[in-house]
Amino acid sequence: MLGLVLNTLRHRKAGFAGAFLALFCAAALVCACGALLETGLRGTIAPERYAGAPILVTGDQYVHQDKVKKGKVKHKAKGLAERAWLPAATADRLRAVPGVRSVVTEVTFPAEIPGAAPGSSYGHGWESAALTPFTLAAGRAPSAADEVVVDAATARTARLHVGSRVPVTSAASTGVHRVVGVTREALPHQTAVFFSTDEARRLAGRAGAVSAIGVFPAAGDTADRVAAALKGTPATVHTGADRGRAEFWDAEKARIKLISMGGALGGTALLVAILVVSGTFALSIQQREREIALLRAVAATPRQIRRMIGREALIVSLGAGALGAAAGPLLALWLRDRFRALGALPSTLNLVLSPFPMFAAVLAAVVAAWAAARLSARRSARIRPVEALGEAAISRRTSPGRVLAGLAFLAGGVVLTLVLSSLNTEAASSPVTMLTAIVWTVAVSLLAPVIARVTVTLLGPPLRTSPIGGHLAAANLRSRSRLVGSVIAPLTLLVGLTCTILFAQTTMGHAATAQADAGTVAAHVLGPKVPAAAADALRRTRGVTTVTEVLHSTVRVGLENYGVQGVTPAGLSHTMNLDVRAGSPARLDAGTIAVSTTAAARLGVHVGDQVRMTLGDGTPFAPRVVAVYGRGLGFGDLTVAHDLLAAHVDDPRADTVLVAGPARADALRSAVRPYPGVAVLDQTAVTQARAAANAEVNYVAMGLIIAFTGIAVVNTLAMATADRTREFALLRIVGTTRRQVMRMLRWETLVVVSTAVVLGTAVALVTLAAFAAGMVGSAAPYVPPATFLGVIGTAAVLALIATVLPARLALAARPADVIGSRE
């Protein structure tokens, strides 16, 4: 049996090359997704700023909740969106712990200087330099409010030295400071700017609070005593590698997100891979039906046929899986770089590469190939020897089992569509959206031969109006409906998945932009990162009647995330129209909240009810609802007073400032000139940029699946065309010219592409309509015409290339030589 398998592989290289390529791509994709998942599970974050502190004490960065399920108590914890601060008095408690030699407090706040990367420049008090430790290479420690010490890397990059003057921008002030010292050390992923102790605490804006405390023990076992002393407080103790997670708490958030992203992407990739590989093997086995029929006629049993095909699949999948697993880490490194460029993966979290994803990729390739081959071989292996040779050359009826399976998947698609239409959170709807599209596509793939016959019946008469090419195309399509179905399936998958991935994002982005545009009634929008002093300067500008500072963050209600915006309540109706359905946002203050209709429905609250939540820095908050509004997509699910939210975020500078009144844009620019980076913006561009930031990560992740599906389309079409060499030769012998054969192929490709586009578009529209109904409240998804035409054009070009090139190669040989060769 093994000799027969190896001989078949040797003489059918072209047929197995398609299966090999599909399995190679599948293994590489599964391995890359596995690497992302493993990075989320096992990735480590090394401490930098706190590397010199043996014991680090910080606030608890998690919201905790106990849930009782089936009599068992389960503890769950979810990360906070902002840094959790500690009372400064915690340091006094730690100084009293036996074995503690010294305690160093730390405040951290945004402090930007020219040349520093955005979001990576932080200010500290000089007393916390020992936590790294930083030492002076030149100059002295800062003592006055306008003095700073900069790290060595910043000094080199910005060409600073003792005596230089440098502008420093923080949330509390913007001004020029004098460099009085330069450190010997520098941190790999952040810029350190040191102020005097009093000035740092003023700029941090957290009176009586510290961001971290470093503990230096005099003897062993101090960490246990520190933990015991802090029991019952919101403080957490970190040692060893755990200090890195505490320092880069945002990287820890990204690590957790990477687990869900890698799992979801890997699961989707595996489902698509199984679908693609099954189609490839089915086509390969259909092309070998004469060979299988001959084996059955010479007494090969169905079991032997299945074993032969299974071993062929095993050999091909082992080779393809091993090469794909070797390429997987390279793909994972590319994904890491793209995610870092988009800000979804911090540079402090390194990619974990181990043998486990590679083994999983090989195993996935082997299992997918073996299962696909055995399932595809069932029909061919069970033919009776008497019927075998007669049935091998013609298309057979679709088996009842396949039709029933297709109808079952259609029913599953209907159920998932109804479920999707009831989901109104992106976290819940995203995986269901992809699963819905895939289930609909599987149904189409199973019913593809039936669909192909119906298509040919409908399009046959118009095709025959072309006397030669069209007539031949109609005859071929009618007699090869099973093969046509095998080609339609991957094209449908390509169009359906691509449209679903692209237009789910455009639907959300368009709805958010439309709501923000309709709700922004201010004459001008300024941003980003507008300090309070700049907002006050705008209020003093001639012609300005109302200034609304807008700040965004995330809060937890229970363990669920909700987007929140903080707005200046005074004169809000002159700058922002939230589409109020009940109550009034004018009553916003430090103890009230306005909620969107979506959030109100999920939380089950109305005007006058109380909502218990946890603010971004871990502070409990129980405001009373004073308004319910409709434009939640454009402005966030929750709205609170700006001053309240600003006191509980890391960077209290407004993301945007809305300005009402007849003031000219030039006057506004003059008012904010002392504040670097603040400019007059276009509101639509601001909203689109915010939506695009989230969409780009999904495009990169799901783009690999689209690329894989595109490769499968080319692979399948090329296999189907290359197998028709003898057919083309016979047509040439009976007088058909090369041009007429190519015209026939173009007509066939047009029918196949048109059918796949209609089916793929239908799959996408059904899925997107349900997605839009749940997320946007309208069953009309937003589909940009140019993008949709681009998807169709790409599918058509791929199909044409994959058909024309193999056909030209097949037509290059002499017809008599091809007919005389072995099949």
Side-chain angles (χ1 to χ4, degrees), residues 8-336:
T8 303
L9 291 173
R10 184 167 60 252
H11 290 287
R12 280 192 163 272
K13 297 184 184 72
F16 286 106
F20 186 92
L21 180 61
L23 288 167
F24 169 82
C25 294
L29 198 54
V30 169
C31 182
C33 296
L36 293 180
L37 179 61
E38 188 174 15
T39 299
L41 291 171
R42 298 176 53 231
T44 58
I45 306 165
E48 292 179 5
R49 176 76 182 90
Y50 303 136
I55 302 172
L56 182 69
V57 178
T58 65
D60 190 355
Q61 284 294 149
Y62 293 90
V63 176
H64 301 270
Q65 190 175 88
D66 290 329
K67 289 191 174 182
V68 180
K69 190 173 183 181
K70 295 181 179 179
K72 295 183 179 179
V73 178
K74 280 194 172 183
H75 180 79
K76 293 193 174 183
K78 296 290 185 179
L80 296 171
E82 311 286 347
R83 187 188 305 275
W85 288 61
L86 287 169
T90 307
D92 297 330
R93 178 183 293 207
L94 293 173
R95 290 187 181 98
V97 174
V100 170
R101 175 169 53 87
S102 63
V103 171
V104 177
T105 59
E106 153 88 326
V107 292
T108 301
F109 54 92
E112 298 164 1
I113 62 176
S120 67
S121 184
Y122 298 99
H124 313 275
W126 179 250
E127 81 283 358
S128 65
L131 296 176
T132 304
F134 277 102
T135 57
L136 288 171
R140 59 174 176 81
S143 57
D146 64 344
E147 295 177 347
V148 294
V149 169
V150 297
D151 64 65
T154 304
R156 286 193 302 269
T157 303
R159 297 182 179 179
L160 300 175
H161 52 80
V162 175
S164 298
R165 301 189 70 81
V166 59
V168 181
T169 302
S170 68
S173 68
T174 298
V176 177
H177 290 64
R178 185 162 58 93
V179 177
V180 296
V182 176
T183 69
R184 288 189 178 86
E185 300 78 16
L187 301 175
H189 301 108
Q190 54 186 301
T191 298
V193 184
F194 292 97
F195 299 81
S196 65
T197 299
D198 292 340
E199 180 65 5
R201 296 195 176 220
R202 184 186 74 82
L203 295 176
R206 296 276 188 147
V210 294
S211 55
I213 303 171
V215 179
F216 294 83
D221 297 331
T222 307
D224 292 337
R225 289 195 290 268
V226 167
L230 295 175
K231 190 174 182 179
T233 72
T236 56
V237 180
H238 311 274
T239 58
D242 192 43
R243 294 171 300 162
R245 294 185 178 185
E247 177 179 354
F248 298 105
W249 54 270
D250 51 344
E252 176 68 4
K253 266 196 320 183
R255 188 185 67 82
I256 294 171
K257 186 176 181 181
L258 207 58
I259 295 174
S260 60
M261 183 189 296
L265 181 58
T268 304
L270 193 57
L271 287 174
V272 173
I274 291 172
L275 190 58
V276 167
V277 171
S278 297
T280 304
F281 266 99
L283 179 59
S284 176
I285 291 172
Q286 285 178 42
Q287 293 173 345
R288 298 172 55 198
E289 284 186 339
R290 280 185 180 275
E291 173 190 325
I292 295 172
L294 182 59
L295 290 172
R296 289 287 291 121
V298 296
T301 65
R303 182 181 179 185
Q304 289 173 324
I305 297 295
R306 288 195 297 270
R307 286 176 61 191
M308 178 189 73
I309 293 174
R311 291 181 182 183
E312 290 169 356
L314 181 64
I315 293 173
V316 172
S317 62
L318 280 173
L323 288 177
L330 299 177
L331 185 59
L333 290 170
W334 180 84
L335 274 174
R336 178 204 64 184

Side-chain angles (χ1 to χ4, degrees), residues 385-476:
V386 177
E387 302 172 346
L389 291 174
E391 290 200 18
I394 61 173
S395 293
R396 297 190 296 272
R397 284 187 174 183
T398 306
S399 67
R402 179 166 182 159
V403 173
L404 289 174
L407 294 176
F409 273 94
L410 279 178
V414 171
V415 171
L416 283 173
T417 302
L418 294 175
V419 171
L420 181 60
S421 65
S422 66
L423 300 177
N424 56 14
T425 64
E426 206 159 359
S429 64
S430 294
V432 178
T433 301
M434 293 306 303
L435 183 60
T436 303
I438 289 173
V439 168
W440 280 114
T441 306
V442 171
V444 170
S445 300
L446 290 169
L447 299 175
V450 177
I451 295 171
R453 284 196 290 271
V454 172
T455 302
V456 173
T457 302
L458 294 175
L459 297 181
L463 282 176
R464 292 188 183 92
T465 57
S466 176
I468 298 177
H471 186 83
L472 289 173
N476 271 327

Side-chain angles (χ1 to χ4, degrees), residues 611-659:
V611 183
R612 297 187 180 277
M613 64 183 65
T614 304
L615 296 176
D617 64 350
T619 303
F621 184 45
R624 184 171 50 84
V625 178
V626 294
V628 177
Y629 56 90
R631 295 193 171 114
L633 285 175
F635 295 98
D637 282 326
L638 309 174
T639 299
V640 298
H642 172 269
D643 291 346
L644 166 75
L645 190 62
H648 299 280
V649 297
D650 294 337
D651 191 345
R653 291 175 293 180
D655 297 314
T656 56
V657 169
L658 310 181
V659 178

Side-chain angles (χ1 to χ4, degrees), residues 770-791:
F771 172 81
M775 295 297 299
V776 180
S778 167
Y782 178 68
V783 179
T787 308
F788 178 63
L789 291 176
V791 173

Side-chain angles (χ1 to χ4, degrees), residues 339-562:
F339 286 151
R340 281 184 177 175
L342 295 172
L345 184 65
S347 55
T348 51
L349 181 60
N350 293 320
L351 189 69
V352 175
L353 295 176
S354 77
F356 297 110
M358 301 176 73
F359 288 140
V362 174
L363 180 62
V366 170
V367 171
W370 184 85
R374 292 296 293 261
L375 287 172
S376 301
R378 286 178 65 84
R379 172 70 175 176
S380 297
R382 293 163 82 178
I383 310 174
R384 288 182 296 175
V386 177
E387 302 172 346
L389 291 174
E391 290 200 18
I394 61 173
S395 293
R396 297 190 296 272
R397 284 187 174 183
T398 306
S399 67
R402 179 166 182 159
V403 173
L404 289 174
L407 294 176
F409 273 94
L410 279 178
V414 171
V415 171
L416 283 173
T417 302
L418 294 175
V419 171
L420 181 60
S421 65
S422 66
L423 300 177
N424 56 14
T425 64
E426 206 159 359
S429 64
S430 294
V432 178
T433 301
M434 293 306 303
L435 183 60
T436 303
I438 289 173
V439 168
W440 280 114
T441 306
V442 171
V444 170
S445 300
L446 290 169
L447 299 175
V450 177
I451 295 171
R453 284 196 290 271
V454 172
T455 302
V456 173
T457 302
L458 294 175
L459 297 181
L463 282 176
R464 292 188 183 92
T465 57
S466 176
I468 298 177
H471 186 83
L472 289 173
N476 271 327
L477 291 169
R478 185 177 62 254
S479 63
R480 298 161 57 92
S481 61
R482 289 178 64 220
L483 288 173
V484 172
S486 297
V487 173
I488 287 174
L491 266 173
T492 302
L493 180 65
L494 175 64
V495 174
L497 280 188
T498 303
C499 289
T500 301
I501 291 168
L502 292 178
F503 302 137
Q505 304 300 324
T506 59
T507 297
M508 289 293 292
H510 180 263
T513 301
Q515 288 191 12
D517 287 346
T520 302
V521 295
H524 302 283
V525 179
L526 286 88
K529 299 301 178 186
V530 184
D536 290 338
L538 290 170
R539 290 186 177 94
R540 295 191 297 268
T541 302
R542 185 174 180 181
V544 172
T545 57
T546 305
V547 172
T548 301
E549 298 169 79
V550 183
L551 179 62
H552 295 91
S553 183
T554 303
V555 300
R556 293 272 184 188
V557 181
L559 295 179
E560 276 194 87
N561 257 342
Y562 284 81

